[in-house]
Amino acid sequence: MSIQENISRIFSPELLGQVKEFIDSHNCFVVTTHMSPDGDAVGSTVAMCRYLRSKGKQATLVFNDRPGYNLSFIKGIDDCLVFERNNQEPEKCQHDAAVNAISEAEAIVCLDYNALYRLGDLADEIRKSQAPRLLIDHHLDPVVEEFSVVVSEPSLSAACEVEYRLILELGDDNLVTREIAEPLYCGMMTDTGQFVFNSERKDVYLIVARLLETGFAKEELHRQFALELERRVRLKGYCLYHKMVIIPEHQAAFISLSKPELKRFNHQKGDSEGFVNAPLDIKGIKVVAFFREEKNFIKVSLRSKGDYPVNIIAEKFFNGGGHKNASGGEFQGSLQKAEQLFVKALPLFDKYL
Ligand code: 5GP
Ligand code: MN
């Protein structure tokens, strides 16, 4: 018996029919994902473009903004158009090409986000298009009115897992070559913290086993993912030694970085990705916030262990959302105000400690 026969089937025939019709009845696709793309966003979109092309379709990958250099280990990441204007290197600006691709698209595939606003500035451009949208995602509470076909599976590890299962159940498993398997694996690996969280179900490993059959270099991917630049390591040391505040009575910690601090460490996009996880490794800490001062807002990242629902903190206090143990949002105000809000919220959640 082949590995894929052991993977449970989860989609209804009606839904599979809708997805099949969506793909079969269009030829020219644009594939999108959320702003500040992470590993699952990049992996799922790169794989989707390749899958559509293997079915003889035309597919263009459009990102709102360029993914951080830390994701450059995902091959195919450069096969994209970036919507955000590149003012530093105007000759490399792809904004017009991205707008053009969207205006020509007959259909739009939306991966790893649950609502159009998660696209950032790209959302307006997508809204302007009449093209129908297919959502393939694993976030809670999709805004279903914004999509023509909705494949939303919040219990799954990654959008990449939803996507593989969809390909499998559409009867296209034979199209999953190494070029498609590798980015799908990258998304599952990054969205589960290298298979630490959200990865208890045996199907995760059956899918991994199936993807590995294509022969990509798994160990090399993990090694590249773990590589860090000197300036990031120094900034992390600074955060943990000088900036981490621990609130023992609420088993909480937070770190914040101001604009001058980011400048001092020559912070580039992606440099502080994942810093929010470090204080969770401290015995007794259950919830962590990381605040980073951006141009017009404070970027908030929240992480927790066990039943502690940081998505509620993100929704109620930081205009955001996400998963129970990993959420984020944006705060309008000063760093200090964001910190105060977090500290004030903590007593409301002591019941989860
Ligand atoms: P991160 O802290 O890595 O930026 O985000 C963790 C998770 O929180 C993301 O996968 C996403 O589900 C959610 N998230 C992050 N930022 C936002 C936001 O601004 N709004 C919403 N609704 N969710 C967010
Ligand atoms: Mn994801």
Side-chain angles (χ1 to χ4, degrees), residues 38-167:
D38 58 11
D40 190 28
V42 174
S44 61
T45 50
V46 167
M48 179 52 67
C49 282
R50 291 176 175 176
Y51 167 66
L52 290 170
R53 287 175 198 152
S54 75
K55 289 181 78 68
K57 311 288 180 179
Q58 204 185 319
T60 307
L61 173 50
V62 177
F63 289 136
N64 176 69
D65 49 293
R66 196 168 287 289
Y69 65 87
N70 53 317
L71 295 173
S72 54
F73 73 98
I74 307 178
K75 293 181 213 88
I77 194 171
D78 294 325
D79 177 25
C80 67
L81 296 174
V82 176
F83 177 75
E84 195 174 68
R85 288 182 193 280
N86 185 343
N87 295 325
Q88 267 98 44
E89 298 170 286
E91 70 286 357
K92 290 193 185 160
C93 183
Q94 299 165 319
H95 176 83
D96 294 344
V99 170
N100 214 20
I102 294 165
S103 73
E104 284 176 5
E106 294 166 17
I108 297 171
V109 185
C110 309
L111 284 149
D112 198 33
Y113 62 99
N114 57 359
L116 288 180
Y117 83 92
R118 297 278 290 132
L119 289 169
D121 292 338
L122 179 60
D124 287 340
E125 208 59 41
I126 295 293
R127 281 197 184 97
K128 269 190 231 162
S129 161
Q130 298 294 311
R133 305 175 196 127
L134 163 64
L135 177 72
I136 302 173
D137 183 43
H138 71 134
H139 291 90
L140 291 168
D141 308 322
V143 180
V144 292
E145 316 80 85
E146 293 184 331
F147 305 93
S148 321
V149 181
V150 173
V151 183
S152 167
E153 294 293 335
S155 64
L156 299 189
S157 63
C160 281
E161 184 184 345
V162 188
E163 181 176 336
Y164 172 72
R165 285 173 174 282
L166 205 50
I167 294 173

Side-chain angles (χ1 to χ4, degrees), residues 219-235:
E219 182 172 336
E220 181 59 21
L221 289 176
H222 284 259
R223 287 192 188 284
Q224 286 186 36
F225 179 58
L227 280 182
E228 307 216 23
L229 294 179
E230 178 187 341
R231 64 163 198 269
R232 171 176 151 97
V233 175
R234 292 197 185 280
L235 178 60

